[in-house]
Amino acid sequence: MAREPQRTSLVRTTSPVLVGRTEELRAILSTVTTRSTVVIIEGEAGVGKTRLVHELLAHPSLARRHAMVGHCHPLREPFPFGAVIEALRSLAGRPKPALSPVGGALRPLLPELDDVLPPSPAPIGDPHAERHRLLRATRELLATAGPALLVVEDLHWADDSTRQMLRFVMSDPPPNLSVVVTYRREDLAGDLPLGAAYRPPDHVAGVLLRLEPLVVPEVGEMAAAILGDESVPARFAARLHERTAGIPFVVEELLGTLRTTPDGLLDDALSDDVEVPVLLRDAMADRLAGLADTTQRLVHAAAVLAAPAAVDTLAEVAGVAADTAPDALGTAVECGVLFELEPARYGFRHTLAQQAVRDTLTGPARQRLHVGAIESLRELDPPPLVRLAEHSRLAGRTEDWLRYGEQAAELAGRVGDIAAATRMLQRLLAEPSLSGADVDRLAVALGSLAYSGVDQHDPVTTLGRVLADHRLSVAARGEVRLFLGLLLVRQHGGIEAARAEIRRAVGELTERPDLAAKGIALLGTPFIGGTPFAEQQEWLAEAERRLAACEDPELRISLLANLLGSRLHMGDPSVRADLRALPLSVGDTADNVGERRQLARARCNLADACTSVGHFRQAREFLSTGLALAASAGSAFVTSTAQSTQVRLDWYLGAWDGLADRATHLLEDYRELLPVASELSLVLGLLAVARGEWTVAGTHLRATGVETPDDAIAPIAIGGFGGLAWAYLSQDEVGKAVAAVDDGVRVLRRKGVWSWAADLAPVAVSTLLAAGRREDASGFVKEVADGVAGRDAPLVHAALELCWGLLAEADDPARAIGHHRAAQAAYRELPAPYLSALAAERAATAAGDHEEIAALADVFADLTATRDAARCRHDVRAHGAAPPSRRGRRGYGDQLSPREQDVARLVAQGMTNREIADVLYLSPRTVEQHVAKVLRKLGHKSRLDLT
């Protein structure tokens, strides 16, 4: 028969056995012991996530696995990748791993591993590339640690960089590594624990656990284990469950202070009218009541410090003599109130306990301890700015709270922890006693931070809240609004709103003509949105007037970045001579980082404009210097736009090897940045068209802004219309091609920048001719020719030669060939080898030169333009001339031939044999034979295995 629990002189504070989590532990062990596994454990505070992890790490079946454990903290100092780096420190003292030079990227973050890490690699000059190299180095180091288990606790407190690193590792963990993460959903900054959607790859086991509170029998089992009894009365278990909600930590803490009356009945410890937090507070107060005053004071100091602390720090904060503190602390540890959480660092084993003890203190007592914490922590080197700011806030020292908070935000921004910097500035702005000058300064800092970073959560909403603050001055409001407008330009669907905000900002910036000039220049930038250029010219003229009167070097470069780039986009023949106004470089000092950022933006803007109009060699020069400047100045957004420009330039230059993979990886990083994502999508779509991957092409090309051209980057959207028309026309869907052409021409006419017609004009003419609209085609070509007459835009002039050739093919083949050859030569001069080959194919087809067409098939194949190569080979076969490829023929054995690789790739796209036959100009029977060979060589039984 179960007996009433009796109070003992020393009550166990934790359960000696794992209760209610046996199935969860078994589920984890069933996969972790056999294969690479990702385990995600969710649960509210105190529900037993950490206990489950400890039981896992202590299990005998994992004894040979190296455990690496990192923790995320609520009051963390700015330190990107902090929890993972903490876990990696456990590798110190292990045998030297075999690492590639990439592993040296970890050296600045892991001085503990200096003896095993390779030398630090040379800087790349690109923040995203630097970060990606660091992620690769981390994965490589983890691969050498195996068999191993990486554990990151309390992911809800993680910084964005830690989440990114975990996503990278968990997306393809090394074969000998398993990863375990824990988090509380109620404390997440967003909806997703890893900051983005995550699904384990097919070769990795996934275990997703949500820990629920214990049920009544489990609470009874835990109570019996803690009290040292075989069982407890059912009514006691039910009452305990009712009062603790079945949360294991609360159960343990309450049982640690359990009292019974002489007749064995429970007293008010479990009374019905007391809530769980109050119960826990009273339980902790009861446990402290029997401790000596010196010990209680150390426990109170630990509760206020809210982070593991050394004995001397606890003593200093508590006002306890240094010679008595160690013994008093030892008593707190023996009684299970404090724990050694890190070597020689003490605190509470759970946040709930720390908060419960803190809540037992009176307001004046807490304030006194916070002051003591400030006095102690500010002597550390480096000082923990985030903690100092928080203690200052809680101590009521507003000036110190503001000073330390601003310093912490500045440090966080400097090390790239944008989310932490943003949160700190937001909290500071919530302080009601700030002066107007303080509000203005913090608001502008927050706006600048939001604008300068690319890795952050919803900065537009952040700035919207700032603008709602009635304390802002008009000038500061205008500055923040300008930042908001600049941010909206980057977002999908935000350009029209951006222009409206920038116009308002210009009106509010009468006291800041320098900032107003930046807004004016942006409003005159032709490629942003669908506003007709005729309406933007007035803004450009005003920007030119402000430039003429400007003496500030940074502002001059900023205005030149917009004005020179705009003129290049327009094909202004005089602008290339005016490029001399832009300095080649500025000094590399901390004082002129703003000038370097603007010069980086200017040169990258010029590279983009040169790419759009066809000055490809000059575009390469601008990109090279612009990227180097952006890296030295830490301008992440400029780097991102330059990388997408480089991708589009490489498409024109025919540098297609690895281009799709590079563009895809960049798109994953910059998907939320409209100018970057739309340009990358254009290139991926055009590559897919050249390979006959129609579904992929459509998906990417529709992401170029064609569905919302008023909220798009105009030349990219126009190119997107051209790409869609090519895809439809290649599938003989003339009606859809006509619709894409008509929409694209409408945008081009409304915009009025005819130098952007290069990617649309040839396919527009081909489509309109296919639809029997010859007069419309001829009229459009005349419009383009008139629009670019006298303009310095070699790409569109080459396209015009091709258009004239297309118009002449039906009634004057000789003239058509002449225009096509002129287009071929003009494209080759740029150089644009793919476009040159397309023009050459038109000329050879008109001339009936099938030998040249066969040679062009090899040119297209070298570019991986599968569809174009297949079309040329089909043309040669159709005319009975099949000269051998310059590669000759060879046997491929068990390796896939180039044709089989093409077939396998299209099967993986989900195409049917007939669809593949249409792309490759083969018969369905031939495709069927190729598919059979592919499956045999790859050892697959079904084509589904290829998808």
Side-chain angles (χ1 to χ4, degrees), residues 470-763:
H470 68 278
R471 298 171 297 175
L472 273 180
S473 68
V474 174
R477 190 178 306 278
E479 190 167 356
V480 173
R481 195 182 303 281
L482 179 61
F483 283 129
L484 175 59
L486 295 172
L487 274 171
L488 285 168
V489 168
R490 303 176 182 179
Q491 294 200 345
H492 295 275
I495 288 181
E496 286 296 291
R499 294 184 64 83
E501 293 290 353
I502 293 171
R503 282 194 295 269
R504 289 185 65 186
V506 169
E508 293 170 331
L509 288 169
T510 54
E511 297 177 14
R512 291 295 307 275
D514 55 333
L515 294 178
K518 291 183 179 181
I520 289 167
L522 188 66
L523 290 171
T525 302
F527 61 79
I528 298 176
T531 304
F533 180 65
E535 297 178 17
Q536 295 176 297
Q537 284 181 302
E538 182 179 342
W539 293 107
L540 275 181
E542 176 60 24
E544 291 279 7
R545 286 191 289 272
R546 303 227 175 184
L547 174 64
C550 179
E551 297 181 357
D552 178 75
E554 181 179 341
L555 179 59
R556 281 191 60 81
I557 298 173
S558 174
L559 295 177
L560 286 169
N562 287 81
L563 294 172
L564 295 176
S566 296
R567 290 171 62 192
L568 264 174
H569 270 289
M570 300 299 299
D572 183 344
S574 65
V575 68
R576 298 179 76 184
D578 292 342
L579 294 179
R580 292 190 298 269
L582 192 68
L584 293 176
S585 63
V586 293
D588 188 2
T589 66
D591 293 336
N592 63 8
V593 65
E595 290 179 54
R596 280 186 283 131
R597 285 179 178 169
Q598 293 303 330
L599 185 57
R601 185 173 72 88
R603 300 191 79 78
C604 291
N605 279 6
L606 294 175
D608 175 70
C610 286
T611 300
S612 293
V613 299
H615 292 298
F616 297 155
R617 292 181 177 86
Q618 199 162 9
R620 280 191 291 195
E621 295 173 6
F622 282 132
L623 271 177
S624 176
T625 54
L627 276 168
L629 281 165
S632 71
S635 187
F637 180 69
V638 171
T639 298
S640 71
T641 59
Q643 287 178 309
S644 65
T645 298
Q646 182 69 68
V647 166
R648 184 159 61 113
L649 179 61
D650 286 346
W651 184 86
Y652 283 122
L653 295 174
W656 290 12
D657 186 24
L659 185 59
D661 288 341
R662 179 153 50 97
T664 299
H665 290 318
L666 287 171
L667 187 58
E668 291 172 357
D669 285 340
Y670 299 117
R671 191 173 296 278
E672 300 305 316
L673 296 180
L674 169 67
V676 179
S678 58
E679 189 166 33
L680 295 170
S681 295
L682 175 62
V683 172
L684 287 167
L686 294 176
L687 288 171
V689 170
R691 294 165 183 168
E693 300 169 358
W694 310 128
T695 302
V696 174
T699 298
H700 286 302
L701 292 170
R702 280 189 288 273
T704 59
V706 295
E707 296 176 341
T708 55
D710 284 345
D711 273 315
I713 304 302
I716 301 301
I718 291 168
F721 284 118
L724 280 174
W726 271 127
Y728 290 135
L729 195 61
S730 298
Q731 299 171 81
D732 295 325
E733 296 186 41
V734 177
K736 291 182 178 179
V738 167
V741 164
D742 285 344
D743 287 343
V745 170
R746 190 178 302 113
V747 171
L748 183 61
R749 283 176 178 149
R750 183 168 185 264
K751 195 68 194 177
V753 184
W754 292 98
S755 54
W756 295 337
D759 293 334
L760 178 64
V763 68

Side-chain angles (χ1 to χ4, degrees), residues 772-818:
R773 291 170 53 182
R774 182 178 182 82
E775 186 174 336
D776 288 342
S778 180
F780 173 62
V781 173
K782 186 177 185 306
E783 274 188 282
V784 175
D786 290 344
V788 299
R791 292 287 169 179
D792 184 12
L795 187 60
V796 73
H797 287 296
L800 273 173
E801 291 288 352
L802 187 58
C803 291
W804 285 320
L806 293 168
L807 289 172
E809 283 179 354
D811 51 18
D812 193 343
R815 187 159 60 92
I817 293 170

